[in-house]
Amino acid sequence: MAERHLKGRAEFSVRNTRKSGKVTLADVARAVGVSAITVSRALREPDKVSATLRQRIDHTIRELGYVPDPVARALVTGRTNIIGVIIPSVTNNVFADVLRAVYDVIRMTDFGIQLGNSRYSLLEEEKLVRLFLSQKPAGLIVAGVDQSEATRSLLVEASCPVVQIMEVGDDPIDMMVGFSHYEAARAATRHLIDRGYRRPAFVAARMDPRSQRRLQGFREETEVQGLFDETRIITTQRPSSVAMGVELFGELMSVAPDADAVLCNNDDLALGVLFEAQRRRFRVPDQLGICGFNDLEFCAVAEPSMTSVRTFRHEMGERAIRMLVSAIEGKRPEEALVDLGYEVVHRRSTR
């Protein structure tokens, strides 16, 4: 009898709530035959109610199609269960790898992800941070360390944990996971010089702050080695692509045809340089060495296979989200700044 009574109440609620619109927490509570507080507790802290009651509540939620109201939750707890992630590009494979790791971890928790794309704009990043913070997120992940003064102030004053990703710096807002783009570029430049190249060039697109630091690393290493030449630096603010690599290598050859090695800001450009070098009958790696950055999958299968700087993007996303969830749960990690380092992977595109 009790089961039939429960089912009848559930059906009654379904009919009535579907007529009126949105299903509420109170509707679920009436259908189950408990208080709204009990249902709320079952959703927020499931371990504090019996397994049997939890199953009844879960079944009724599915029957009624109840969707928790994040605004109501924020009023009660001071935050939602949403984690905001702000990156500068959703098409760049580098950020796609980071996001894949974030989603792999988050699906095993009660948190959800809200994604924002700043499109490499400091103003857009500030707007997204303001929007996300107004929605009382559980935490935020933001790419880079070069936020505007206004954005940084917002993040410093935020009432939730914040993790900066993709690089490391001396002054983290809260927590940070990444590597030094400057040191990685210096190491890649040393690799070219150690392999016997004496006229190295640098090719880059989309000159965001991380690209600027890679250029700085190349510049300082070649200056230390007495091999720096301004004419062998070719950059553009336009987006990066394989086709852009072809174009920039052509420009390099027009102003510095004696260049014998190219450090590229990323692997897309490096592949374009390789294609154009082969079209011009350069012997790679003997006549021209090529090094990319990030070590995307195609580097290992290109012909010849491409030397590149390996960055640990999946681990970066995984560490960032685990650190954030731990901090949200009141267990802040002992290390607030995690430097994952990098690796210059030598393949057949350099001697």
Side-chain angles (χ1 to χ4, degrees):
M1 289 293 292
E3 289 181 359
R4 288 199 297 272
H5 181 60
L6 172 61
K7 183 178 179 181
R9 274 198 284 193
E11 288 175 348
F12 177 81
S13 293
V14 169
R15 287 195 300 270
N16 283 275
T17 55
R18 284 178 181 168
K19 286 179 182 178
S20 61
K22 186 176 180 181
V23 179
T24 67
L25 191 73
D27 294 327
V28 176
R30 279 195 298 271
V32 177
V34 297
S35 69
I37 292 175
T38 300
V39 175
S40 178
R41 183 181 301 115
L43 293 175
R44 289 185 291 108
E45 302 172 286
D47 293 339
K48 292 191 176 181
V49 300
S50 69
T52 302
L53 178 56
R54 201 161 61 242
Q55 289 174 2
R56 287 169 55 196
I57 291 172
D58 290 344
H59 174 75
T60 305
I61 285 173
R62 288 194 298 271
E63 284 286 307
L64 299 183
Y66 170 68
V67 178
D69 185 347
V71 175
R73 178 190 175 96
L75 289 173
V76 174
T77 65
R79 66 172 176 83
T80 64
N81 67 340
I82 297 299
I83 291 173
V85 179
I86 301 174
I87 57 174
S89 172
V90 294
T91 58
N92 188 323
N93 285 331
V94 171
F95 296 104
D97 289 341
V98 174
L99 285 177
R100 190 175 299 115
V102 168
Y103 281 105
D104 285 346
V105 174
I106 209 67
R107 65 186 177 87
M108 296 181 287
T109 74
D110 293 327
F111 295 99
I113 295 296
Q114 183 176 7
L115 183 62
N117 178 10
S118 69
R119 296 178 176 85
Y120 293 93
S121 165
L122 290 179
L123 180 58
E124 184 65 23
E125 182 181 52
E126 180 186 335
K127 288 168 59 179
L128 286 168
V129 168
R130 289 185 185 278
L131 174 63
F132 283 15
L133 289 178
S134 73
Q135 297 170 348
K136 305 294 183 184
L140 285 177
I141 294 176
V142 295
V145 299
D146 297 283
Q147 288 76 31
S148 68
E149 185 177 342
T151 300
R152 185 175 178 87
S153 295
L154 288 169
L155 294 172
V156 168
E157 297 298 325
S159 58
C160 65
V162 176
V163 181
Q164 294 164 281
I165 60 171
M166 303 310 294
E167 54 188 318
V168 292
D170 297 329
D171 188 22
I173 291 170
D174 185 3
M175 296 172 284
M176 184 179 288
V177 184
F179 68 99
S180 170
H181 293 254
Y182 165 80
E183 292 294 347
R186 287 201 71 164
T189 306
R190 281 196 301 274
H191 168 81
L192 293 174
I193 295 170
D194 290 345
R195 295 289 160 178
Y197 300 106
R198 290 295 175 265
R199 296 179 298 280
F202 183 85
V203 167
R206 181 84 77 177
M207 294 301 292
D208 59 73
R210 287 175 290 282
S211 298
Q212 295 285 356
R213 281 185 271 280
R214 293 176 194 177
L215 171 56
Q216 182 185 6
F218 170 84
R219 178 189 293 270
E220 293 194 12
E221 187 61 32
T222 51
E223 286 177 345
V224 166
Q225 302 274 2
L227 300 175
F228 177 74
D229 185 336
E230 188 76 43
T231 63
R232 293 199 292 265
I233 294 178
I234 305 296
T235 67
T236 179
Q237 291 292 343
R238 288 180 290 166
S240 179
S241 66
V242 176
M244 181 56 65
V246 171
E247 180 179 332
L248 294 181
F249 183 67
E251 185 177 339
L252 173 67
M253 289 296 96
S254 69
V255 296
D258 63 338
D260 63 358
V262 184
L263 173 59
C264 299
N265 185 49
N266 61 44
D267 295 327
D268 289 349
L269 294 178
L271 190 60
V273 169
L274 175 62
F275 287 163
E276 182 62 11
Q278 290 172 333
R279 191 184 71 81
R280 292 174 183 240
R281 302 292 189 269
F282 278 86
R283 298 186 308 277
V284 178
D286 296 330
Q287 190 178 356
L288 182 74
I290 303 172
C291 180
F293 203 106
N294 286 313
D295 195 31
L296 297 180
E297 182 182 17
F298 62 75
C299 290
V301 296
E303 179 54 41
S305 57
M306 284 201 304
T307 297
S308 188
V309 178
R310 177 172 295 164
T311 58
F312 303 101
R313 302 175 299 281
H314 192 278
E315 185 178 353
M316 195 181 307
E318 182 178 339
R319 289 289 289 272
I321 194 66
R322 290 192 187 281
M323 289 170 67
L324 194 64
V325 170
S326 292
I328 293 168
E329 295 174 345
K331 297 172 287 190
R332 292 188 64 84
E334 293 183 8
E335 289 185 275
L337 192 158
V338 178
D339 187 345
L340 295 176
Y342 53 85
E343 178 185 357
V344 179
V345 181
H346 176 215
R347 296 193 181 94
R348 292 190 297 114
S349 68
T350 55
R351 294 180 194 137

